[in-house]
């Protein structure tokens, strides 16, 4: 799928988690719901860091472009080193390492650890990166029409303000993990979720997605998971734009109402 649909599906997924948490009598404070949705929307772009033309590769200027080159080479090297006889030969690393459950878990776990041990500045860094990505994904037309500096300033301002709101007692920095020293441990969850939602979205397209790597399936370690081929579509096609995008809006709205207790 394309960047806007990925981000929208990520936000909708977190709002759905919020509705589930409310149904289980462990509702999220509204700042956690909002921040988590934005983080998840940004994280849903992150797996495409292995693609030079992806939104995330342009989001942070030369830094993200250089990182994209590194991740692409790392992904390709990992593919070559672990491919089985049934896996096709390829020339790049797109839709390999960063499109797996293992990468999602490591990324989310790393961010939770950074927030846990790095304190406020680590949280601000995580929020800044994901706020910029959320703007690039959810407001892609406006982001394309604006300068990168303006998008970065918006991301930095949003990160600072949201961190201040979360730090107020009862506003969610200790949601789910309440023991002393565990504040913001939850921050890795929307990052894992956003990455997995991205992979599921790509699995719906014609190329599929090797979500289960490194678990071998048949003669392939990089098995392209997905529905039957007649149910798949091309990225950016009318199915994505006219069917899935409105569905994500609807699901996100229902999730938000459920999370805020309006439906129940």
């Amino acid at each position: 799928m394309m960047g806007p649909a990925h981000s929208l599906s990520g936000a909708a997924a977190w709002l759905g988690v919020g509705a589930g948490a409310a149904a289980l009598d462990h509702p999220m404070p509204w700042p956690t719901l909002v921040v988590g949705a934005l983080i998840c929307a940004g994280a849903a772009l992150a797996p495409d860091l292995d693609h030079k033309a992806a939104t995330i590769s342009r989001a942070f200027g030369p830094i993200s472009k250089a990182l994209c080159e590194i991740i692409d080479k790392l992904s390709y090297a990992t593919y070559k080193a672990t491919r089985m006889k049934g896996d096709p030969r390829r020339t790049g690393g797109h839709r390999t390492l960063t499109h797996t459950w293992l990468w999602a878990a490591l990324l989310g776990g790393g961010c939770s650890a950074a927030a846990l041990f790095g304190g406020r500045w680590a949280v601000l860094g995580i929020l800044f990166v994901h706020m910029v990505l959320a703007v690039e994904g959810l407001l892609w037309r406006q982001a394309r029409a604006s300068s990168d500096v303006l998008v970065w300033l918006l991301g930095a301002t949003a990160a600072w303000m949201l961190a201040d709101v979360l730090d107020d007692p009862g506003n969610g920095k200790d949601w789910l993990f309440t023991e002393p020293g565990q504040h913001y441990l939850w921050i890795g969850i929307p990052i894992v979720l956003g990455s997995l939602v991205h992979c599921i979205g790509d699995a719906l397209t014609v190329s599929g997605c090797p979500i289960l790597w490194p678990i071998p399936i048949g003669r392939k370690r990089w098995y392209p998971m997905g529905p039957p081929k007649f149910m798949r579509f091309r990225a950016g096609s009318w199915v994505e734009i006219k069917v899935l995008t409105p569905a994500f809006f609807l699901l996100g709205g229902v999730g938000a109402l459920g999370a805020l207790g309006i439906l129940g």
Side-chain angles (χ1 to χ4, degrees):
M1 291 196 300
M2 306 300 287
H6 277 310
S7 283
L8 189 57
S9 65
W14 184 256
L15 294 172
V17 170
L24 294 173
D25 293 326
H26 198 84
M28 297 179 188
W30 71 264
T32 306
L33 185 69
V34 172
V35 173
L38 291 172
I39 292 174
C40 204
L45 295 181
D48 276 345
L49 193 56
D50 60 4
H51 191 347
K52 299 174 185 177
T55 300
I56 189 173
S57 70
R58 303 188 300 269
F60 299 96
I63 296 175
S64 53
K65 288 181 180 179
L67 186 57
C68 179
E69 293 277 356
I70 295 170
I71 296 298
D72 179 46
K73 288 181 172 57
L74 173 64
S75 298
Y76 181 50
T78 303
Y79 182 87
K80 287 200 303 180
T82 63
R83 64 183 287 266
M84 296 173 65
K85 291 182 178 180
D87 292 310
R89 295 186 181 277
R90 53 186 303 148
T91 58
H94 182 47
R95 286 203 188 183
T96 55
L97 180 60
T98 62
H99 288 67
T100 65
W101 70 270
L102 183 58
W103 178 274
L106 291 174
L107 188 63
C111 287
S112 283
L116 190 63
F117 297 109
R120 180 178 176 84
W121 288 108
V123 171
L124 285 172
I126 294 168
L127 288 177
F128 168 70
V129 168
H130 289 88
M131 293 308 107
V132 170
L133 292 177
V135 171
E136 292 280 359
L138 298 174
L139 303 175
W140 66 276
R141 291 185 186 275
Q142 293 82 351
R144 292 283 179 88
S146 303
S147 70
D148 288 341
V149 175
L150 288 177
V151 175
W152 299 340
L153 287 173
L154 177 59
T157 302
W160 191 275
M161 293 175 63
L162 292 171
D164 278 346
V165 172
L166 284 171
D167 279 341
D168 286 341
N171 273 3
K173 69 177 180 180
D174 58 350
W175 177 75
L176 198 60
F177 300 97
T178 58
E179 294 299 319
Q182 294 183 352
H183 296 167
Y184 291 110
L185 192 59
W186 61 267
I187 209 167
I189 299 176
I191 294 171
V192 173
L193 180 61
S195 295
L196 291 177
V197 167
H198 177 110
C199 294
I200 293 171
D202 278 354
L204 299 176
T205 64
V206 292
S207 299
C209 188
I211 305 173
L212 296 181
W213 181 87
I215 301 170
I217 299 177
R219 298 173 63 247
K220 296 182 178 182
R221 194 177 299 279
W222 298 89
Y223 187 87
M225 300 296 296
K229 290 194 175 182
F230 75 90
M231 297 177 62
R232 302 187 189 189
F233 58 88
R234 294 190 178 278
S237 69
W238 67 270
V239 176
E240 178 179 332
I241 296 170
K242 296 185 178 297
V243 178
L244 291 182
T245 297
F248 295 148
F249 270 110
L250 178 61
L251 291 173
V254 172
L257 293 175
L260 295 173
I262 296 175
L263 290 182

